[in-house]
Amino acid sequence: MSYAVEQNEKFAAYANPERLVSTQWLASTLEAGALADGKLVVVESDEDVLLYETGHIPGSVKIDWHTDLNDEVTRDYVNGEAFGALAAAKGISRDTTVVIYGDKSNWWAAYALWVFTLFGHEDVRLLDGGRDKWIAEGRDLTTERTAPVPGDYPVVERNDAPIRAFKDDVLAHFGKPLIDVRSPEEYTGQRTHMPAYPEEGALRGGHIPTAASIPWARAAAPDGSYRSREELEALYLGEAGLTAGDDVVAYCRIGERSSHTWFALKYLLGFDTVRNYDGSWTEWGNAVRVPIAKGTERGTVPA
Amino acid sequence: MPSGFPLPRARNAARSRRKLEQMTTHDLPAALAEIVDDFQALTEADRLQLLLEFSRELPELPDRLKDHPELLEQVVECQSPLFLTIETEQNDAVRLYFKAPPEAPTTRGFAGVLHEGLDGLSAAEILAVPDDMPELLGLTRAITPLRMRGMTAMLGRIKRKVAATSRPAS
């Protein structure tokens, strides 16, 4: 059985409070010996591949977005076999409650959570505020290596369709809302990549026509936790113009920052159909003959 | 698996293994060639450990630079904030100074490698280092090509700064 859902006022306002835990909840749950029976596994997922090694939450395991979750050859995620093997090696079984946290307001943790969701892992939660909030509160860190007791994880086929959009899905999506979570400079097309850094850029700058610009970090408070429901509604229902029941696609440059926004829309505001377009600008900005809008205007639905 | 991370573990392992094997030769300054040989003597997991050791050994900025952040420039190509500057001493030795936060150990590790490998060399020696030197560390698979680009950018920035100071525009 999975762990009881944390009850607090902030989370209660969200559509799916069971997707978040607070640092206080995690600290007391760990203190009560939660890691001993394999029912709870804490996963750290960071942008920096060495950050976990400098100190992590005691008993947590590391999953690296790039080396563990991305297929090494094809631009895709790992398959069911590789995911099952990874999860089992980290001590995760199919019914384990997984709590994921990471650096930079949980940017990469949300991405890992999204990949767990592609495999239909039922009980996967984010630590609200992530690594920075945990550290800011002076909570325990260790460099002790965690040696998990292997879990038992079945081979589950990934189910992409409900939460992942491909380029053709986006082309068929025109007329319905899109959220671009990149920086304003990337949105307008002023910049496709960092100066003197051509390799991972795109041949064209701009955004997918009609996409609203809501940089991902605006959903995060200064302490790295998600903003309140009211604040998120002002951002996405107010500024971006979404309405309840909308079918939404979010994208960024490679799909990581938009996972953070996907989580907010899906679990905090309760939109049923939210997909992350992980091909994002590195695909769209290089694809032949796809429509692009430049400048600060959203642009119109292509004819 | 031993618990904890004894500081020079990977470096010591590399050194003892290298005694047994023939040294590789590189067209690199001696200190940098030594570092490359150390990385290449290790397994992938230990190469990451060695990079972590370099991140811990990156020297602090001297006080005169600490108090003057405007004297350093940011390498924006790195994932995490990295600032660097160079100074040329009277004997033509180029001194390198880096600043990167502790929450960016990979970036600090790259800076540590470049500091140990290049600090104190002449401008000509630094400019002769091949641009793709970071590839020689054998980290590309473990760290991913995306992350290695940060180090390539760092080396590029150092070389551009060295070129700008040693060869005034004609």
Side-chain angles (χ1 to χ4, degrees):
Chain A
M1 280 304 290
S2 57
Y3 275 81
V5 176
E6 179 178 356
Q7 307 290 334
N8 68 46
E9 203 184 326
K10 180 191 176 193
F11 294 176
Y14 293 138
N16 294 87
E18 73 277 13
R19 292 295 170 188
L20 283 175
V21 302
S22 66
T23 48
Q24 179 57 50
W25 182 92
L26 184 61
S28 10
T29 306
L30 292 179
E31 210 165 290
L35 296 177
D37 56 6
K39 300 277 190 250
L40 179 84
V41 169
V42 182
V43 171
E44 177 164 337
S45 219
D46 299 315
E47 179 174 53
D48 193 303
V49 68
L50 287 177
L51 188 54
Y52 169 90
E53 279 78 6
T54 67
H56 51 264
I57 295 181
S60 65
V61 294
K62 161 183 165 180
I63 290 184
D64 182 63
W65 66 280
H66 210 144
T67 57
D68 290 325
L69 298 177
N70 283 359
D71 186 90
E72 203 180 324
V73 180
T74 309
R75 182 171 174 187
D76 200 357
Y77 300 96
V78 292
N79 61 22
E81 275 183 3
F83 182 78
L86 169 73
K90 302 296 176 183
I92 298 169
S93 299
R94 189 66 173 162
D95 60 355
T96 300
T97 296
V98 177
V99 171
I100 310 183
Y101 74 99
D103 58 352
K104 308 195 169 171
S105 307
N106 276 332
W107 167 351
W108 303 93
Y111 186 66
L113 182 143
W114 179 75
V115 175
F116 268 74
T117 309
L118 290 175
F119 288 97
H121 191 92
E122 201 172 314
D123 190 3
V124 54
R125 315 180 188 187
L126 273 188
L127 174 66
D128 198 28
R131 182 183 165 93
D132 290 344
K133 187 159 191 283
W134 181 272
I135 293 173
E137 292 168 348
R139 301 184 187 278
D140 285 353
L141 289 182
T142 181
T143 54
E144 264 322 279
R145 283 179 200 226
T146 304
V149 177
D152 182 15
Y153 212 92
V155 173
V156 182
E157 284 313 308
R158 228 175 46 217
N159 183 13
D160 290 341
I163 60 165
R164 185 179 185 194
F166 295 95
K167 188 179 112 226
D168 288 345
D169 300 326
V170 178
L171 287 166
H173 185 81
F174 278 124
K176 294 181 229 167
L178 285 152
I179 306 280
D180 184 317
V181 316
R182 297 172 301 156
S183 61
E185 293 77 13
E186 290 169 282
Y187 180 85
T188 56
Q190 190 186 330
R191 163 177 285 183
T192 57
H193 53 78
M194 297 302 185
Y197 197 172
E199 298 94 331
E200 61 165 310
L203 293 172
R204 295 291 183 271
H207 56 271
I208 301 178
T210 73
S213 168
I214 306 284
W216 73 280
R218 295 183 61 194
D223 68 357
S225 64
Y226 273 108
R227 294 199 175 272
S228 70
R229 173 136 197 182
E230 202 182 10
E231 292 169 317
L232 293 177
E233 284 181 349
L235 202 53
Y236 297 107
L237 304 186
E239 206 173 313
L242 299 182
T243 46
D246 270 346
D247 170 0
V248 191
V249 168
Y251 71 93
C252 57
R253 194 178 54 81
I254 57 170
E256 13 64 275
R257 286 174 283 182
S258 43
S259 301
H260 187 270
T261 298
W262 168 85
F263 185 95
L265 293 173
K266 172 99 183 150
Y267 294 130
L268 307 184
L269 293 182
F271 285 90
D272 278 338
T273 313
V274 188
R275 286 173 294 166
N276 179 21
Y277 169 38
D278 60 277
S280 279
W281 199 257
T282 51
E283 178 178 48
W284 198 273
N286 284 314
V288 176
R289 281 189 161 175
V290 297
I292 287 174
K294 288 181 90 78
T296 54
E297 295 302 316
R298 290 181 187 175
T300 51
V301 173
Chain B
M1 279 288 182
S3 62
F5 300 97
L7 210 70
R9 183 172 70 81
R11 178 55 81 85
N12 285 342
R15 288 286 152 86
S16 57
R17 197 159 313 162
R18 279 177 44 205
K19 280 183 198 145
L20 305 172
E21 292 165 11
Q22 197 171 2
M23 293 271 289
T24 350
T25 48
H26 297 286
D27 196 9
L28 293 175
L32 197 55
E34 184 101 332
I35 295 170
V36 166
D37 287 336
D38 280 347
F39 272 96
Q40 293 193 347
L42 294 170
T43 63
E44 234 170 50
D46 282 341
R47 286 175 192 165
L48 285 177
Q49 176 65 28
L50 181 54
L51 190 64
L52 189 64
E53 288 167 16
F54 273 105
S55 80
R56 291 173 174 149
E57 289 159 14
L58 180 67
E60 287 267 312
L61 283 180
D63 287 342
R64 63 192 159 80
L65 287 175
K66 251 185 217 165
D67 300 337
H68 290 280
E70 75 281 2
L71 296 176
L72 291 102
E73 51 180 83
Q74 182 169 11
V75 181
V76 288
E77 296 91 332
C78 291
Q79 288 177 359
S80 308
L82 174 96
F83 297 84
L84 66 84
T85 194
I86 63 164
E87 287 172 0
T88 307
E89 292 181 341
Q90 286 191 333
N91 61 358
D92 283 342
V94 178
R95 309 308 307 264
L96 306 177
Y97 301 98
F98 298 92
K99 186 180 128 202
E103 63 270 19
T106 303
T107 299
R108 285 183 63 88
F110 290 156
V113 166
L114 293 175
H115 184 269
E116 188 172 314
L118 302 178
D119 185 57
L121 298 184
S122 70
E125 286 170 309
I126 291 176
L127 291 173
V129 173
D131 292 338
D132 60 357
M133 170 265 141
E135 305 290 323
L136 298 174
L137 300 176
L139 285 165
T140 308
R141 216 188 74 96
I143 285 208
T144 75
L146 193 71
R147 288 163 168 152
M148 286 309 296
R149 285 178 199 138
M151 184 168 182
T152 308
M154 219 183 282
L155 175 61
R157 177 65 66 94
I158 293 168
K159 288 175 67 174
R160 282 199 295 281
K161 278 185 81 71
V162 169
T165 36
S166 65
R167 291 189 223 125
S170 53

